[in-house]
Amino acid sequence: MKKFNLAALPLAVAGIFASTSAFAGTTGCFETYPVAADGAVVDFTTLFTQAACNDVAGNRYAGLQANDPIGIAYELTNVNADGENQYVIDYDNTDLAINVATGLDQHIVYIPTSDIPPGTLIEFTLSGSNARFAGNNDIIHLVKEDGAGGFEAISSTDGDVDGTNTITFITKSGLQIGAGTRLVLSRTSVGAADAALEPIGIDVGNSQCTTAESQSSVSIQVTQAVTDGGTGYTIIGAETVPEVIAEISPQFYALHGGTTAEGLVNAESSDIAGTAVVARTEFVYDSTTPDDNLIVQQQQVIYKTAFYNRAPLLDRNHTLHADDDLDTKFVVGTNPGSDVEMGLYNAQNLTANAEAALTQQEELEAATLWADFGLTEADAPVYDTDAEDVFTPRVDVSVETNPFNAPVADHVLKNALYNEMFYVVTNERTADSDTKIMNFNYVVDTHYTLDFSDASLLDHCAQEKKTHEIGVNGAVLKVPYVTSASGNFVRITNEHDESAEVTFDIFGESVNGTVENRKMTALSLGTVPAQSSVVYFVPKLVEEAEAAGYLGQDGGYAEGDLGANFKSSSTRHTVTFTVTAPRDSVHGVAVQKVIGSPADRVMPVLDQNDWSQ
């Protein structure tokens, strides 16, 4: 058998061949875990005897501590105005105790699985969230247990430390580090006991606004372990894969979950129980069915959603302040009605009665209980809802249980603080009996963002949800152009096997149709019998509208007032019919008599507000 002459080899290489574990290691390992203030390093005197961190099945070997990285709220990690990191993670005070000496510690322990000869260059690199070493007085020590209950440095950093993501050590001359030795990153180089260890610090920075997907982390890795000061051979068992030492994730989840609340405006003159009502003043609802009342009630359609605060799951989190707001806007595609508004409630009574009454109304902003809608996002008012109101769990009920607590095993929201909220479209603030006509066929897009008063925090990104969809229990026929001249009519057909009620809206050509009575809504025309048709002459429709106060002919405009336009006419109108029968069973045709012509003109009738028809 051929023998090697160790004396003829370079010192570093000879040390490797002389070691009893030189060929055992395939990768180095890290341990990171929290301890009490000045807490001991677990198994500091015990050698790790495996050649890798995980077995062939990918499971971590029992000889290693389970990694438990520090948890940081993503919202805390904003960069400053110059784009530089400003959030420091001090592993010597992870809970930000006022007295640093009493703050919790987090050890970062490095374990090579091969011997490391004297003079070896070891390079540590941070990655993720723009992480850098910070607050270490520009020096970090790699220390081991000294055999007497204390610790000593086997190396100190060579070159810059703070402000960089890579640090370099060169192990001391004449000191070989045995495979499996636990080496701790510390600000102190020597001490008589573990209590003298001072864990290191880093800083992080993120610049993107917060969403539910804002997941990040910081990892540490030994990227080089090379003998002879970096000019020799690579020690494979001393290099590592990246190991997470900080998990960064969103603390707050606003309007999380929830299904679009769908409701139908009742266009009939009676409700489901047969009680007489004014058409289009309430929703189609059934008070005898409790489950239905969770969403649709007589005067409101209810969107249920949830707000989560993951503060209990994070080592570093933000405590909400009075000036932290949930900014909301409510945008609709068409005017829902002058008396239709949005309210916000903190609870729904599920046990007291079948009506599932809403309780604890919250202010949408200071001194404002009811919100208006905007036809565009730019026009919609912004409401600054107190974030504490929506994120603080109610303590007076037991039914609001975080759905991710059980049986979900490892969901990011498990054990988060949980609060249900209810956004309500309603046409009745109070229980008075005023007639409040509602429009229909629109959706409510709720736009929102969590806006912190502290500029050093990362606000949440602007988001939107379709919270409500309001339809009608019938068909809609829109006739964009009719004239009140003699002989002009609209014919409506009802193919359904039940009679249908008909109401109509009308407006004319005016300089502003939103003021006074230049538009009339929900005027009754009686019924269309089952499987029959009815003709409505336009002059008669206008006459009935005027009897109700219609001023569509008032406030017209002159030729050229609106550009290249002709002057307005009191004889031209737009009419919308609502027929309480299934949409596919209702049809219409509009006819204009042409004076002096044997043929009449057939005008468009739309069952959607869509000219492509």
Side-chain angles (χ1 to χ4, degrees), residues 160 258 263 276 357 477 601:
D160 293 334
L477 300 177
R601 181 187 297 130

Side-chain angles (χ1 to χ4, degrees), residues 171-247:
T171 58
K172 289 181 178 181
S173 174
L175 177 63
Q176 178 157 303
I177 304 163
T181 300
R182 283 178 161 83
L183 304 172
V184 181
L185 291 168
S186 173
R187 292 176 176 131
T188 48
S189 62
V190 64
D194 289 5
L197 282 166
E198 188 177 332
I200 65 170
I202 65 173
D203 64 21
V204 296
N206 291 293
S207 59
Q208 298 298 313
C209 56
T210 309
T211 70
E213 288 73 43
S214 298
Q215 308 288 335
S216 182
S217 63
V218 177
S219 295
I220 193 168
Q221 179 181 11
V222 172
T223 45
Q224 285 192 78
V226 183
T227 63
D228 296 318
T231 63
Y233 296 91
T234 296
I235 305 173
I236 300 300
E239 294 182 339
T240 72
V241 298
E243 187 70 55
V244 175
I245 60 171
E247 291 181 332

Side-chain angles (χ1 to χ4, degrees), residues 38-62:
D38 300 332
V41 177
V42 179
D43 294 333
F44 207 2
T45 61
T46 302
L47 290 179
F48 176 63
T49 59
Q50 300 292 343
C53 312
N54 302 322
D55 61 23
V56 292
N59 300 312
R60 193 170 175 87
Y61 279 118

